């Protein structure tokens, strides 16, 4: 595949990185890191809305999944708590459904995040009885859920019909999870609802799988962003740290480590670009292969990059004050959610 980011996409990434540098999420998180999960901020949501990023995938904005991918990478790099991909995916679905919540969602007045069953241990059950939709069980972990106003449930019923419903968060039980990730909140929704006819919508066949694929792609892209920052931090540290009166970056073993890290990140980026391009295409089989190949390769590669970064940093990388452990924690959670490495390898083998 011949592919490169356009000048507009490069500018989009640079602008988002500039905003994130000015409003450093990790620096903002540090003072309250022991007080509870990371929260989205009004300023962050306002930035996403005013920049058109929540509605990026809508017809008016005309953005692509590649556009969203470059943004998600920047937020992963910065350790941002903002659920950029989730908000954009929800806005796109609400527009397709012509849902009344679309306008408030796109403007940032109401935060709506998608919730689905877990890929590997599905625990959400959906059943249509006459005109009613019955939802019960527990969703997969969702980032930003504790700050959302509503949840966009996307599910496959016992008969294979795909359905969606927007439900206020106070209609379900939200449980915030204690995870390794200190830069984002992760929660699940326990649901036991019967929705009357007219309060839920049938979806086009394949929509649930598409949303799973999109979330898996952007979860891996987030990990890529964190891994890319670790590469930069490691190269900078190796140039500053001296041993035997010379920078450790001059040692062949350290050079090999840094080269392997950089190679892993660039290869993963190429795979994820291919997955994002496939999300914008119409071939479901191609999308399945591209997404699972990218998610599996990136999950494994980002985790290895994180471990190598910690090894090169040595003792300082283990300290609470250094940012290395925050990015490693984020990568490890990304590796497990929206399909683990082993899940995507099995899916790819069966495709």
């Amino acid at each position: 595949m011949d592919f490169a980011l356009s000048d507009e996409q490069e500018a989009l990434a640079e602008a988002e990185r500039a905003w994130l540098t000015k409003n450093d999420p990790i620096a903002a998180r540090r003072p309250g890191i022991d007080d509870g999960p990371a929260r989205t901020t009004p300023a962050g949501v306002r930035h996403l809305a005013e920049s058109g990023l929540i509605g990026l995938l809508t017809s008016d904005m005309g953005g692509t999944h590649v556009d969203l991918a470059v943004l998600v990478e920047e937020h992963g790099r910065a350790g941002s708590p903002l659920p950029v991909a989730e908000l954009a995916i929800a806005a796109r679905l609400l527009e397709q459904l012509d849902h009344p919540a679309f306008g408030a969602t796109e403007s940032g007045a109401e935060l709506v995040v998608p919730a689905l069953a877990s890929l590997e241990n599905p625990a959400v059950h959906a059943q249509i009885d006459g005109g009613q939709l019955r939802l019960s069980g527990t969703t997969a972990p969702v980032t930003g859920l504790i700050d959302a106003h509503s949840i966009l449930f996307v599910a496959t019923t016992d008969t294979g019909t795909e359905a969606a419903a927007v439900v206020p968060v106070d209609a379900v039980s939200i449980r915030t999870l204690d995870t390794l990730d200190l830069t984002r909140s992760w929660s699940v929704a326990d649901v036991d609802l019967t929705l009357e006819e007219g309060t839920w919508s049938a979806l086009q066949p394949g929509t649930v799988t598409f949303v799973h694929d999109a979330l898996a792609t952007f979860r891996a892209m987030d990990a890529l962003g964190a891994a890319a920052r670790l590469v930069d931090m490691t190269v900078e540290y190796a140039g500053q740290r001296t041993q035997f009166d010379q920078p450790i970056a001059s040692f062949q073993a350290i050079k090999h480590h840094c080269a392997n890290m950089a190679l892993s990140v660039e290869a993963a980026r190429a795979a994820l670009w291919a997955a994002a391009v496939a999300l914008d295409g119409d071939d479901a089989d191609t999308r399945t292969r591209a997404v699972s190949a990218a998610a599996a390769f990136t999950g494994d590669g980002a985790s290895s990059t994180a471990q190598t970064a910690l090894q090169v940093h040595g003792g300082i990388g283990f300290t609470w004050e250094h940012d290395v452990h925050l990015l490693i924690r984020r990568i490890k959670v990304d590796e497990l959610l929206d399909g683990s490495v082993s899940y995507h390898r099995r899916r790819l083998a069966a495709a």
Side-chain angles (χ1 to χ4, degrees):
M1 173 189 292
D2 290 329
F3 177 82
L5 295 181
S6 67
D7 291 342
E8 290 80 6
Q9 288 164 338
E10 294 278 8
L12 181 64
E14 290 173 6
E16 197 66 8
R17 183 177 297 192
W19 185 87
L20 289 163
T21 300
K22 181 179 179 181
N23 301 272
D24 186 350
I26 290 181
R29 175 71 176 133
R30 282 285 185 182
I33 202 166
D34 294 319
D35 299 335
R39 308 296 294 262
T40 61
T41 63
V45 174
R46 185 166 57 251
H47 162 71
L48 296 181
E50 291 177 353
S51 301
L53 304 185
I54 295 177
L56 182 66
L57 300 177
T58 63
S59 56
D60 283 346
M61 289 297 295
T64 68
H65 288 86
V66 178
D67 297 332
L68 184 56
V70 300
L71 292 169
V72 171
E73 180 179 348
E74 293 302 329
H75 279 261
R77 179 185 182 90
S80 166
L82 294 170
V84 183
E86 286 78 3
L87 293 174
I89 290 169
R92 179 179 185 268
L93 280 173
L94 291 174
E95 181 191 38
Q96 291 175 339
L97 295 171
D98 195 22
H99 197 280
F102 169 64
T105 301
E106 186 183 28
S107 69
E110 300 282 336
L111 296 186
V112 180
V113 293
L116 297 88
S118 169
L119 282 169
E120 297 181 80
N121 298 293
V124 173
H125 306 287
Q127 184 178 21
I128 296 175
D129 183 8
Q132 295 179 327
L133 175 65
R134 172 77 176 170
L135 291 173
S136 62
T138 302
T139 67
V142 183
T143 185
L145 181 55
I146 57 174
D147 295 307
H149 298 91
S150 300
I151 305 171
L152 174 56
F153 284 101
V154 181
T156 303
T157 68
D158 55 352
T159 59
T161 300
E162 299 184 16
V166 177
V167 177
V169 292
D170 57 11
V172 301
S173 176
I174 305 297
R175 288 188 289 121
T176 300
L177 305 177
D178 185 13
T179 72
L180 282 175
D181 190 358
L182 299 177
T183 58
R184 293 169 294 187
S185 65
W186 290 97
S187 309
V188 296
D190 295 318
V191 56
D192 186 7
L193 294 171
T194 298
L195 303 174
E196 298 298 328
E197 186 174 6
T199 62
W200 61 276
S201 303
L203 294 170
Q204 290 292 326
T207 301
V208 173
T209 299
F210 181 89
V211 175
H212 273 302
D213 282 346
L215 290 173
T217 299
F218 295 123
R219 188 70 54 238
M221 186 61 79
D222 182 273
L224 172 70
R229 183 173 179 183
L230 284 174
V231 172
D232 291 345
M233 292 169 63
T234 302
V235 171
E236 181 181 9
Y237 177 77
Q240 296 172 345
R241 174 75 163 89
T242 60
Q243 197 171 38
F244 308 114
D245 296 324
Q246 55 185 316
I248 63 171
S250 65
F251 303 151
Q252 188 176 42
I254 300 299
K255 291 179 181 179
H256 285 171
H257 277 322
C258 292
N260 287 337
M261 293 167 68
L263 177 62
S264 177
V265 165
E266 289 303 320
R269 183 176 287 119
L272 284 166
W273 282 347
V277 169
L279 287 172
D280 289 319
D282 298 322
D283 190 328
D285 292 337
T286 298
R287 188 188 72 232
T288 295
R289 292 191 295 270
V291 168
S292 282
F297 185 84
T298 304
D300 184 58
S303 183
S304 296
T305 295
Q307 293 168 4
T308 304
L310 185 61
Q311 182 178 355
V312 174
H313 275 83
I316 195 173
F318 286 88
T319 61
W320 186 255
E321 295 75 17
H322 206 284
D323 290 344
V324 165
H325 78 96
L326 296 176
L327 295 169
I328 292 174
R329 288 165 175 267
R330 188 175 179 112
I331 287 169
K332 295 304 291 184
V333 171
D334 280 335
E335 182 185 1
L336 295 174
L337 298 181
D338 295 301
S340 63
V341 171
S342 61
Y343 168 85
H344 284 290
R345 284 175 174 167
R346 294 194 303 270
R347 185 177 184 233
L348 182 61

